[in-house]
Amino acid sequence: MSAAPGADDPGRVAGLRFLLLGTLTIVISLTPYSVDAFLPAFPAAREALGSGASTMQLTLSAFLLGIAAGQLVFGPLSDRLGRRTPLIVGAAVCAAAAIACALAPSIEVLLAARFLQGLAGSSGMVISKAIIRDRTAGRDTVHFLAMTAVGSGALNIMAPVLGGLLTERFGWRGPLWFIAAAAVAMLVLIVVLVPETHAVELRETRSRWLGLASVVRHLRNRSFLVYVVVQAGSYATLMAYVAASPFVYQEVLGFDGAAYGLLFALNGACGVLGNFVANRFLRHLGSRRLVTAGLLGSLLGTGATATAWLLGAPPWAVAICITLSMTTINLNGPNLVGLALNQVTRATGSAAATIGFVQFCAGSLVAPLVGLGGTGTLAPMLVTMAVLALGSLLTLLASGGRGFRAAASLGGGAGT
């Protein structure tokens, strides 16, 4: 596999590391921030809009579905038109949609606005990954993706705490107005600091149907597809926790809103720390071993949570077990995305879009499921997390042929 442009150019890599990488980290962080900051407002918004728990969780599903669909638009478009213009357009629409969310008079309008916000905001997630792949190759791609994960996680650690404080002070619309302000600030950063990184001679100028042919071509690449499927299962495991967490911590375990925000932030901080430590061992252990450890750790944490809850352990003990599961599952994202992207050499925007589409579709399907059993039990969340983590682990292990191990070790693979 040939290196991406700039992969062996120290000046360009340094620029990615110190300026562009920081900007991309902020851009990527807006999506998880838009989820985490609004979570503490779910109970208040449910009451104010007269909706049920499962209906309120549909706002999360709508947001994730928007992200999934938008990646299939912005990823291929960035392969064809370059990275900068689609990124600016997406950020502008995202800011407008975020303002519409804050003004929403009903649950129906909120659902529609969150979908549009996710659709447009997906441009930042997918194009940022493509930009990193433009400038790096092999293990460097995984390394820089892990750096963005650590940075994004650090920026979002206090999102639920801030969301809880804004909800208490300004009501359920408070976090949404803050998200809107962050979206506007992100647009300004993109316009000022993000350059064009996709060379004209590498663009998919002959692509048709918005470049979806490239998506189909990537999905026919078995080594790429395996990592996409495992990432979807891993991400859905995380989203099962995220969607259920406001009700699990506050209505089942009995924590108040402020304590919930702190516990959610603690889990995020542990995930960031885990990624930071794992990134230091990346060259020695390889991404596949780290992903295997992450999935096994998630299963262990989920089992410990179920055991503690069934035995009537105090709430703080159950919360510690949840933290173990979330710390380990957070190891998987940057490693799996990096492994998948290193299986392709062209149309990397479409490849990143494919990963994101499958991942966020899985997350959007899981979000309402964890609320179907009611809000007074941990069972729906724990069963969903266990099934998804186990399925992802078995898929990864079943793919463990020589070619996959080589790809994981070297950071490369069969290009498409």
Side-chain angles (χ1 to χ4, degrees):
M1 183 184 72
S2 61
D8 53 1
D9 183 338
R12 295 183 71 182
V13 172
L16 173 63
R17 181 178 301 156
F18 296 115
L19 181 59
L20 181 56
L21 187 69
T23 303
L24 296 179
T25 299
I26 294 172
V27 172
I28 291 173
S29 71
L30 182 64
T31 295
Y33 183 88
S34 297
V35 172
D36 297 350
F38 188 47
L39 285 174
F42 268 27
R46 178 185 64 179
E47 182 177 349
L49 297 175
S51 66
S54 187
T55 304
M56 182 53 57
Q57 284 165 331
L58 281 176
T59 63
L60 177 57
S61 292
F63 185 72
L64 297 177
L65 278 174
I67 294 174
Q71 296 202 45
L72 289 183
V73 175
F74 287 103
L77 273 180
S78 74
D79 285 335
R80 184 169 187 170
L81 304 177
R83 312 300 187 203
R84 181 174 162 82
T85 299
L87 185 58
I88 291 174
V89 171
V93 176
C94 177
I99 294 172
C101 288
L103 295 171
S106 66
I107 186 65
E108 292 79 12
V109 174
L110 181 60
L111 282 167
R114 285 290 273 179
F115 175 81
L116 181 59
Q117 183 188 8
L119 183 79
S122 68
S123 60
M125 297 196 72
V126 66
I127 296 177
S128 292
K129 293 183 179 73
I131 289 173
I132 291 172
R133 184 63 180 87
D134 288 341
R135 292 289 182 93
T136 63
R139 282 177 171 159
D140 282 342
T141 302
V142 179
H143 173 69
F144 284 114
L145 285 170
M147 288 180 67
T148 63
V150 170
S152 175
L155 288 173
N156 284 289
I157 284 175
M158 297 305 293
V161 177
L162 181 58
L165 293 174
L166 290 170
T167 301
E168 290 181 7
R169 178 66 177 85
F170 301 104
W172 67 272
R173 297 181 190 274
L176 293 176
W177 277 116
F178 196 88
I179 291 169
V184 172
M186 181 189 73
L187 173 61
V188 173
L189 281 176
I190 290 171
V191 171
V192 174
L193 295 176
V194 177
E196 180 57 64
T197 62
H198 193 35
V200 174
E201 62 270 17
L202 295 178
R203 295 181 186 179
E204 298 287 307
T205 55
R206 297 181 180 180
S207 61
R208 302 175 62 185
W209 303 105
L210 289 177
L212 293 183
S214 297
V215 172
V216 174
R217 186 173 72 247
H218 292 321
L219 289 174
R220 290 174 177 169
N221 178 347
R222 181 172 173 267
S223 58
F224 173 81
L225 180 60
V226 165
Y227 295 126
V228 171
V229 171
V230 176
Q231 168 62 4
S234 177
Y235 182 77
T237 303
L238 175 63
M239 292 313 300
Y241 154 77
V242 169
S245 63
F247 306 104
V248 164
Y249 281 117
Q250 296 179 75
E251 298 186 13
V252 180
L253 299 181
F255 294 103
D256 60 23
Y260 161 64
L262 289 172
L263 286 168
F264 197 93
L266 171 65
N267 292 344
C270 289
V272 170
L273 179 61
N275 261 310
F276 178 80
V277 173
N279 200 26
R280 298 296 176 183
F281 290 96
L282 175 63
R283 294 187 182 275
H284 300 289
L285 298 178
S287 292
R288 278 181 66 99
R289 288 192 182 94
L290 290 175
V291 172
T292 301
L295 292 171
L296 284 172
S298 178
L299 281 170
L300 177 63
T302 302
T305 303
T307 302
W309 176 56
L310 290 173
L311 293 178
W316 61 264
V318 179
I320 289 175
C321 296
I322 295 175
T323 298
L324 170 62
S325 182
M326 289 302 100
T327 299
T328 51
I329 200 69
N330 272 290
L331 298 178
N332 299 341
N335 285 290
L336 286 167
V337 172
L339 284 167
L341 287 178
N342 273 311
Q343 310 308 309
V344 305
T345 55
R346 292 187 64 88
T348 52
S350 298
T354 305
I355 300 167
F357 174 76
V358 177
Q359 160 186 325
F360 284 103
C361 278
S364 67
L365 292 174
V366 163
L369 291 180
V370 296
L372 293 179
T375 58
T377 175
L378 294 182
M381 181 188 78
L382 294 177
V383 170
T384 303
M385 289 172 59
V387 170
L388 288 167
L390 179 60
S392 298
L393 179 61
L394 292 176
T395 301
L396 184 67
L397 294 177
S399 71
R402 181 178 301 174
F404 287 100
R405 287 197 294 270
S409 173
L410 298 175
T416 59

mmCIF file of all heavy atoms in Angstrom, residues 222-246:
data_model
loop_
_atom_site.group_PDB
_atom_site.id
_atom_site.type_symbol
_atom_site.label_atom_id
_atom_site.label_comp_id
_atom_site.label_asym_id
_atom_site.label_seq_id
_atom_site.Cartn_x
_atom_site.Cartn_y
_atom_site.Cartn_z
ATOM 1 N N ARG A 222 -13.293 -7.714 2.093
ATOM 2 C CA ARG A 222 -13.629 -8.465 3.301
ATOM 3 C C ARG A 222 -12.866 -7.970 4.522
ATOM 4 O O ARG A 222 -13.430 -7.873 5.626
ATOM 5 C CB ARG A 222 -13.339 -9.957 3.077
ATOM 6 C CG ARG A 222 -13.691 -10.821 4.282
ATOM 7 C CD ARG A 222 -13.572 -12.305 3.942
ATOM 8 N NE ARG A 222 -13.756 -13.142 5.120
ATOM 9 C CZ ARG A 222 -12.784 -13.585 5.886
ATOM 10 N NH1 ARG A 222 -11.524 -13.273 5.573
ATOM 11 N NH2 ARG A 222 -13.032 -14.333 6.942
ATOM 12 N N SER A 223 -11.595 -7.661 4.379
ATOM 13 C CA SER A 223 -10.817 -7.211 5.533
ATOM 14 C C SER A 223 -11.334 -5.869 6.059
ATOM 15 O O SER A 223 -11.379 -5.646 7.274
ATOM 16 C CB SER A 223 -9.334 -7.105 5.168
ATOM 17 O OG SER A 223 -9.143 -6.212 4.085
ATOM 18 N N PHE A 224 -11.756 -4.994 5.158
ATOM 19 C CA PHE A 224 -12.360 -3.724 5.552
ATOM 20 C C PHE A 224 -13.693 -3.971 6.248
ATOM 21 O O PHE A 224 -13.993 -3.394 7.309
ATOM 22 C CB PHE A 224 -12.543 -2.842 4.310
ATOM 23 C CG PHE A 224 -13.303 -1.562 4.548
ATOM 24 C CD1 PHE A 224 -12.671 -0.450 5.079
ATOM 25 C CD2 PHE A 224 -14.644 -1.470 4.219
ATOM 26 C CE1 PHE A 224 -13.364 0.734 5.295
ATOM 27 C CE2 PHE A 224 -15.348 -0.294 4.428
ATOM 28 C CZ PHE A 224 -14.704 0.804 4.972
ATOM 29 N N LEU A 225 -14.526 -4.844 5.680
ATOM 30 C CA LEU A 225 -15.871 -5.080 6.192
ATOM 31 C C LEU A 225 -15.847 -5.644 7.607
ATOM 32 O O LEU A 225 -16.693 -5.275 8.440
ATOM 33 C CB LEU A 225 -16.618 -6.029 5.250
ATOM 34 C CG LEU A 225 -18.055 -6.390 5.643
ATOM 35 C CD1 LEU A 225 -18.922 -5.132 5.707
ATOM 36 C CD2 LEU A 225 -18.638 -7.386 4.644
ATOM 37 N N VAL A 226 -14.908 -6.533 7.899
ATOM 38 C CA VAL A 226 -14.844 -7.118 9.237
ATOM 39 C C VAL A 226 -14.668 -6.034 10.286
ATOM 40 O O VAL A 226 -15.366 -6.004 11.314
ATOM 41 C CB VAL A 226 -13.704 -8.151 9.320
ATOM 42 C CG1 VAL A 226 -13.384 -8.488 10.774
ATOM 43 C CG2 VAL A 226 -14.075 -9.409 8.566
ATOM 44 N N TYR A 227 -13.740 -5.117 10.060
ATOM 45 C CA TYR A 227 -13.508 -4.065 11.037
ATOM 46 C C TYR A 227 -14.705 -3.116 11.138
ATOM 47 O O TYR A 227 -14.995 -2.589 12.223
ATOM 48 C CB TYR A 227 -12.235 -3.289 10.687
ATOM 49 C CG TYR A 227 -10.986 -4.129 10.786
ATOM 50 C CD1 TYR A 227 -10.093 -4.231 9.723
ATOM 51 C CD2 TYR A 227 -10.698 -4.845 11.945
ATOM 52 C CE1 TYR A 227 -8.948 -5.014 9.809
ATOM 53 C CE2 TYR A 227 -9.558 -5.624 12.049
ATOM 54 C CZ TYR A 227 -8.690 -5.711 10.978
ATOM 55 O OH TYR A 227 -7.566 -6.496 11.078
ATOM 56 N N VAL A 228 -15.411 -2.898 10.035
ATOM 57 C CA VAL A 228 -16.610 -2.061 10.060
ATOM 58 C C VAL A 228 -17.682 -2.705 10.936
ATOM 59 O O VAL A 228 -18.327 -2.031 11.756
ATOM 60 C CB VAL A 228 -17.142 -1.843 8.630
ATOM 61 C CG1 VAL A 228 -18.514 -1.168 8.667
ATOM 62 C CG2 VAL A 228 -16.173 -0.988 7.826
ATOM 63 N N VAL A 229 -17.898 -4.007 10.779
ATOM 64 C CA VAL A 229 -18.915 -4.717 11.560
ATOM 65 C C VAL A 229 -18.564 -4.724 13.044
ATOM 66 O O VAL A 229 -19.421 -4.474 13.910
ATOM 67 C CB VAL A 229 -19.089 -6.158 11.028
ATOM 68 C CG1 VAL A 229 -19.977 -6.967 11.966
ATOM 69 C CG2 VAL A 229 -19.679 -6.132 9.624
ATOM 70 N N VAL A 230 -17.306 -4.987 13.353
ATOM 71 C CA VAL A 230 -16.889 -5.003 14.758
ATOM 72 C C VAL A 230 -17.032 -3.612 15.371
ATOM 73 O O VAL A 230 -17.482 -3.458 16.514
ATOM 74 C CB VAL A 230 -15.440 -5.515 14.891
ATOM 75 C CG1 VAL A 230 -14.976 -5.438 16.344
ATOM 76 C CG2 VAL A 230 -15.340 -6.956 14.393
ATOM 77 N N GLN A 231 -16.673 -2.583 14.621
ATOM 78 C CA GLN A 231 -16.824 -1.217 15.118
ATOM 79 C C GLN A 231 -18.298 -0.879 15.356
ATOM 80 O O GLN A 231 -18.646 -0.226 16.345
ATOM 81 C CB GLN A 231 -16.204 -0.215 14.131
ATOM 82 C CG GLN A 231 -16.539 1.250 14.372
ATOM 83 C CD GLN A 231 -16.057 1.782 15.713
ATOM 84 O OE1 GLN A 231 -15.400 1.082 16.475
ATOM 85 N NE2 GLN A 231 -16.382 3.025 16.009
ATOM 86 N N ALA A 232 -19.177 -1.334 14.476
ATOM 87 C CA ALA A 232 -20.607 -1.077 14.655
ATOM 88 C C ALA A 232 -21.109 -1.713 15.945
ATOM 89 O O ALA A 232 -21.849 -1.088 16.720
ATOM 90 C CB ALA A 232 -21.383 -1.615 13.460
ATOM 91 N N GLY A 233 -20.712 -2.964 16.199
ATOM 92 C CA GLY A 233 -21.134 -3.624 17.427
ATOM 93 C C GLY A 233 -20.562 -2.975 18.665
ATOM 94 O O GLY A 233 -21.246 -2.815 19.689
ATOM 95 N N SER A 234 -19.309 -2.574 18.587
ATOM 96 C CA SER A 234 -18.664 -1.920 19.720
ATOM 97 C C SER A 234 -19.314 -0.575 20.016
ATOM 98 O O SER A 234 -19.591 -0.236 21.175
ATOM 99 C CB SER A 234 -17.174 -1.731 19.410
ATOM 100 O OG SER A 234 -16.526 -1.035 20.451
ATOM 101 N N TYR A 235 -19.582 0.199 18.956
ATOM 102 C CA TYR A 235 -20.206 1.507 19.153
ATOM 103 C C TYR A 235 -21.630 1.362 19.682
ATOM 104 O O TYR A 235 -22.067 2.135 20.546
ATOM 105 C CB TYR A 235 -20.214 2.279 17.835
ATOM 106 C CG TYR A 235 -20.803 3.664 17.958
ATOM 107 C CD1 TYR A 235 -20.066 4.702 18.525
ATOM 108 C CD2 TYR A 235 -22.090 3.944 17.526
ATOM 109 C CE1 TYR A 235 -20.599 5.975 18.657
ATOM 110 C CE2 TYR A 235 -22.631 5.213 17.650
ATOM 111 C CZ TYR A 235 -21.885 6.227 18.214
ATOM 112 O OH TYR A 235 -22.421 7.483 18.348
ATOM 113 N N ALA A 236 -22.374 0.366 19.186
ATOM 114 C CA ALA A 236 -23.736 0.141 19.667
ATOM 115 C C ALA A 236 -23.732 -0.248 21.141
ATOM 116 O O ALA A 236 -24.652 0.116 21.892
ATOM 117 C CB ALA A 236 -24.414 -0.937 18.830
ATOM 118 N N THR A 237 -22.705 -0.976 21.575
ATOM 119 C CA THR A 237 -22.562 -1.296 23.000
ATOM 120 C C THR A 237 -22.449 -0.018 23.823
ATOM 121 O O THR A 237 -23.107 0.146 24.856
ATOM 122 C CB THR A 237 -21.310 -2.168 23.228
ATOM 123 O OG1 THR A 237 -21.398 -3.345 22.427
ATOM 124 C CG2 THR A 237 -21.178 -2.556 24.687
ATOM 125 N N LEU A 238 -21.624 0.898 23.342
ATOM 126 C CA LEU A 238 -21.457 2.183 24.022
ATOM 127 C C LEU A 238 -22.755 2.975 24.041
ATOM 128 O O LEU A 238 -23.145 3.558 25.061
ATOM 129 C CB LEU A 238 -20.348 2.979 23.333
ATOM 130 C CG LEU A 238 -20.093 4.399 23.829
ATOM 131 C CD1 LEU A 238 -19.643 4.389 25.281
ATOM 132 C CD2 LEU A 238 -19.059 5.090 22.951
ATOM 133 N N MET A 239 -23.483 2.986 22.908
ATOM 134 C CA MET A 239 -24.705 3.776 22.821
ATOM 135 C C MET A 239 -25.831 3.182 23.660
ATOM 136 O O MET A 239 -26.728 3.906 24.101
ATOM 137 C CB MET A 239 -25.149 3.904 21.366
ATOM 138 C CG MET A 239 -24.222 4.753 20.514
ATOM 139 S SD MET A 239 -23.741 6.329 21.294
ATOM 140 C CE MET A 239 -25.343 7.101 21.496
ATOM 141 N N ALA A 240 -25.817 1.876 23.900
ATOM 142 C CA ALA A 240 -26.804 1.278 24.801
ATOM 143 C C ALA A 240 -26.652 1.885 26.199
ATOM 144 O O ALA A 240 -27.647 2.205 26.871
ATOM 145 C CB ALA A 240 -26.625 -0.231 24.849
ATOM 146 N N TYR A 241 -25.399 2.042 26.634
ATOM 147 C CA TYR A 241 -25.143 2.696 27.919
ATOM 148 C C TYR A 241 -25.544 4.167 27.883
ATOM 149 O O TYR A 241 -26.218 4.666 28.798
ATOM 150 C CB TYR A 241 -23.667 2.555 28.283
ATOM 151 C CG TYR A 241 -23.158 3.659 29.186
ATOM 152 C CD1 TYR A 241 -23.457 3.659 30.548
ATOM 153 C CD2 TYR A 241 -22.389 4.697 28.669
ATOM 154 C CE1 TYR A 241 -23.004 4.675 31.371
ATOM 155 C CE2 TYR A 241 -21.924 5.713 29.491
ATOM 156 C CZ TYR A 241 -22.242 5.706 30.827
ATOM 157 O OH TYR A 241 -21.799 6.720 31.636
ATOM 158 N N VAL A 242 -25.136 4.887 26.830
ATOM 159 C CA VAL A 242 -25.403 6.323 26.752
ATOM 160 C C VAL A 242 -26.903 6.601 26.793
ATOM 161 O O VAL A 242 -27.376 7.481 27.521
ATOM 162 C CB VAL A 242 -24.775 6.912 25.474
ATOM 163 C CG1 VAL A 242 -25.263 8.345 25.239
ATOM 164 C CG2 VAL A 242 -23.253 6.890 25.570
ATOM 165 N N ALA A 243 -27.680 5.856 26.005
ATOM 166 C CA ALA A 243 -29.118 6.096 25.934
ATOM 167 C C ALA A 243 -29.829 5.784 27.241
ATOM 168 O O ALA A 243 -30.787 6.465 27.621
ATOM 169 C CB ALA A 243 -29.721 5.268 24.797
ATOM 170 N N ALA A 244 -29.364 4.751 27.933
ATOM 171 C CA ALA A 244 -30.032 4.335 29.169
ATOM 172 C C ALA A 244 -29.528 5.082 30.397
ATOM 173 O O ALA A 244 -30.216 5.123 31.423
ATOM 174 C CB ALA A 244 -29.844 2.834 29.378
ATOM 175 N N SER A 245 -28.353 5.689 30.310
ATOM 176 C CA SER A 245 -27.681 6.219 31.503
ATOM 177 C C SER A 245 -28.485 7.259 32.290
ATOM 178 O O SER A 245 -28.467 7.227 33.534
ATOM 179 C CB SER A 245 -26.307 6.792 31.130
ATOM 180 O OG SER A 245 -26.434 7.878 30.235
ATOM 181 N N PRO A 246 -29.211 8.204 31.645
ATOM 182 C CA PRO A 246 -29.951 9.172 32.472
ATOM 183 C C PRO A 246 -30.953 8.505 33.410
ATOM 184 O O PRO A 246 -31.133 8.932 34.553
ATOM 185 C CB PRO A 246 -30.658 10.052 31.440
ATOM 186 C CG PRO A 246 -29.892 9.877 30.176
ATOM 187 C CD PRO A 246 -29.395 8.464 30.216
#
